[in-house]
Amino acid sequence: IPRYNVELDCREEGKVNLPEIHVTSDARGDWMELREAKLLQIIREMFGGMENCLYLCKRILFDVSKNSSTAMTIIHSDESQNIEFKESWNDKYLQWICGFANAQGGRMFIGVNDKHEVVGVDNSKKLMEDIPNKVRDVLGIIVDVNLLDADGLDYIEVVVEAYPYPISYRGHYYQRSGATNQELKGAALDRFMLRRQGKTWDGVPVPYLTVDDLDNATFDLFRRYAKLSRRMEEADLQDDNKGLLEKLRLYEGSYLKRAAALLFHPDPEKYVTGAFVKIGFFREDADLVYQDEIHGNLFQQIHKLMDLLCTKYLKAVITYEGIQRIETFPMPREALREALLNACINKDYSDTSPIQIRVTDNMLQIVNGGVLPDGWTVDTLLSSHRSMPYNPDIANTFFRAGEV
């Protein structure tokens, strides 16, 4: 069929008597049905003795070429974030397809072992029908299923696109991570669902929290800082507390967000477990000498932390210029303040453990639970990159106050 630029293998394909040609939809839309019907008609007219027309049509629809060099190149690479090999098909592998759809997409090869050898599948024609139907019925998504050939052995490639909304397998959610498929539970599932909905942890509304529950002294402090930073209009700063929170976009409908509780409530731990900081001073042999806990909202925590670290935990070198005493800390105050702000702004507060600061004679270490943005690595973090705060509503409020 020159105009379609395809070659048909005229081997016997397990002959099936088809007195009539029945076109079945595989959920690709009406245009795919029309295309399949046309190809079936052409094949039957040109190859009257070729009985299994539907099988041949599938091979054209998926644009499969024998001994695909692209597929073989992929097969000879290791299993990774986007590649999985299976010797045979099992319905539980729908979990792997679910994991690809919830991550960056990927390819699964059926009939290829872990040694990257094509071992083939015996029921390729049936799998070509079963796999896309099961994926559609169980996961509710569409995948490309391609029949490939290597040295006379049929194997199957399942191509999964990344989906922008959550995909579940029988009520469970899976996500590809490296070369493994992981079920998402607890805080990890919460993060995943929020991301897929275009929301962030600090933007979730909090029932029963009202503006009257918040701390007026912290509002006054914010107004003073924001006025100095000139990052808000004077009229907005003169508005009442409710109006100011609306300008800071700390409302979700009629509900205050989690960010408002962390930033302005006198006791945010009432709503967020672990929203405090622990500091400890340790000797070289790891013995704890003394410790403190810092509570309150985030504005209060930052200022208490700076004062406590500089007066109790960090040893300053004392020099004199004339009669003036000068204290030089082991790190610039500006760098310390920036590190503390980053820890408070980017903490994953669904992790119930507090921010922990460990101080020794020659080191200060800040540990806070969190995750990198999707697709980021440590190299991304250490190179030039755009700002992507984990809690953007909290970050925006600190920015308006001139703190970052």
Side-chain angles (χ1 to χ4, degrees):
I1 315 177
R3 58 180 171 162
Y4 286 90
N5 193 28
V6 296
E7 293 182 5
L8 296 179
D9 188 342
C10 293
R11 296 175 300 169
E12 291 189 359
E13 303 289 357
K15 294 183 178 180
V16 177
N17 292 323
L18 296 176
E20 296 181 6
I21 300 297
H22 296 281
V23 179
T24 58
S25 171
D26 53 5
R28 287 177 178 76
D30 293 341
W31 70 273
M32 283 294 286
E33 287 187 349
L34 293 173
R35 183 183 181 200
E36 186 168 296
K38 181 64 176 175
L39 286 168
L40 280 167
Q41 178 186 350
I42 293 171
I43 293 172
R44 192 170 188 186
E45 290 174 356
M46 300 283 299
F47 298 87
M50 186 60 64
E51 310 251 351
N52 195 346
C53 297
L54 184 59
Y55 173 68
L56 288 174
C57 182
K58 286 290 184 184
R59 297 181 68 162
I60 298 174
L61 283 172
F62 290 112
D63 192 24
V64 175
S65 61
K66 293 285 185 177
N67 298 317
S68 168
S69 59
T70 302
M72 294 307 294
T73 299
I74 295 174
I75 287 173
H76 288 121
S77 63
D78 293 332
E79 284 189 347
S80 65
Q81 174 77 20
N82 307 103
I83 302 171
E84 180 73 27
F85 303 129
K86 300 296 181 186
E87 288 194 34
S88 59
W89 173 256
N90 188 302
D91 285 353
K92 70 179 182 181
Y93 296 151
L94 291 171
Q95 297 176 9
W96 273 256
I97 294 175
C98 175
F100 280 134
N102 285 330
Q104 302 170 16
R107 298 169 185 259
M108 176 183 289
F109 291 92
I110 313 299
V112 180
N113 63 24
D114 291 337
K115 297 179 180 179
H116 308 198
E117 299 169 340
V118 176
V119 296
V121 289
D122 296 330
N123 53 346
S124 57
K125 289 183 287 186
K126 185 174 186 300
L127 289 177
M128 289 291 292
E129 297 291 335
D130 287 351
I131 292 176
N133 290 336
K134 289 179 178 179
V135 170
R136 177 196 62 205
D137 295 342
V138 177
L139 302 180
I141 63 175
I142 303 300
V143 295
D144 285 335
V145 182
N146 302 325
L147 182 62
L148 304 176
D149 178 283
D151 298 326
L153 296 173
D154 285 343
Y155 64 105
I156 291 174
E157 176 191 41
V158 182
V159 182
V160 186
E161 296 292 333
Y163 272 71
Y165 53 85
I167 304 300
S168 71
Y169 169 77
R170 306 190 189 282
H172 297 268
Y173 293 86
Y174 296 86
Q175 190 174 46
R176 186 76 171 183
S177 178
T180 64
N181 198 50
Q182 298 182 358
E183 182 177 0
L184 299 173
K185 297 180 180 180
L189 179 58
D190 290 342
R191 283 195 299 267
F192 170 75
M193 298 298 284
L194 286 171
R195 285 176 182 170
R196 285 298 191 268
Q197 295 168 22
K199 297 182 179 296
T200 56
W201 182 92
D202 65 335
V204 174
V206 182
Y208 309 114
L209 176 64
T210 70
V211 66
D212 294 332
D213 298 323
L214 305 182
D215 183 54
N216 288 322
T218 305
F219 278 111
D220 293 341
L221 180 68
F222 173 83
R223 287 186 173 92
R224 186 163 69 251
Y225 287 160
K227 184 176 182 178
L228 291 173
S229 73
R230 299 181 179 179
R231 291 175 179 174
M232 291 192 72
E233 298 292 334
E234 183 68 28
D236 294 338
L237 295 176
Q238 292 177 358
D239 205 344
D240 61 15
N241 291 345
K242 184 176 187 298
L244 181 60
L245 290 169
E246 289 174 344
K247 294 297 189 302
L248 292 171
R249 299 182 180 179
L250 295 180
Y251 271 97
E252 178 70 27
S254 59
Y255 293 98
L256 284 167
K257 296 179 178 180
R258 285 171 171 167
L262 284 168
L263 289 162
F264 293 104
H265 197 279
D267 182 18
E269 292 171 70
K270 180 178 178 181
Y271 302 94
V272 184
T273 303
F276 66 99
V277 183
K278 293 182 69 173
I279 314 175
F281 187 87
F282 294 81
R283 290 196 180 95
E284 292 294 338
D285 54 6
D287 288 338
L288 176 64
V289 181
Y290 50 86
Q291 65 178 352
D292 290 281
E293 291 186 359
I294 304 298
H295 299 269
N297 61 52
L298 296 187
F299 281 107
Q300 295 168 342
Q301 286 183 26
I302 292 296
H303 292 280
K304 290 178 183 177
L305 282 169
M306 283 295 296
D307 181 64
L308 191 61
L309 285 170
C310 292
T311 57
K312 182 177 179 179
Y313 282 85
L314 298 178
K315 296 180 180 180
V317 175
I318 299 174
T319 56
Y320 293 89
E321 290 186 8
I323 63 171
Q324 184 179 11
R325 171 177 165 145
I326 299 174
E327 295 183 348
T328 303
F329 288 96
M331 65 193 69
R333 291 176 63 93
E334 295 79 8
L336 177 61
R337 180 175 160 279
E338 183 77 10
L340 295 174
L341 283 164
N342 273 321
C344 290
I345 291 172
N346 294 299
K347 182 183 187 301
D348 177 6
Y349 286 96
S350 64
D351 181 349
T352 57
S353 60
I355 295 173
Q356 300 174 36
I357 302 177
R358 180 188 179 95
V359 184
T360 65
D361 286 329
N362 56 11
M363 180 185 70
L364 184 145
Q365 183 182 55
I366 303 174
V367 179
N368 66 317
V371 294
L372 293 174
D374 285 340
W376 280 35
T377 64
V378 174
D379 290 338
T380 308
L381 193 64
L382 296 177
S383 62
S384 178
H385 59 270
R386 59 193 179 97
S387 176
M388 290 186 65
Y390 187 80
N391 297 300
D393 288 325
I394 293 175
N396 176 62
T397 303
F398 273 109
F399 172 77
R400 299 300 170 188
E403 295 283 81
V404 295

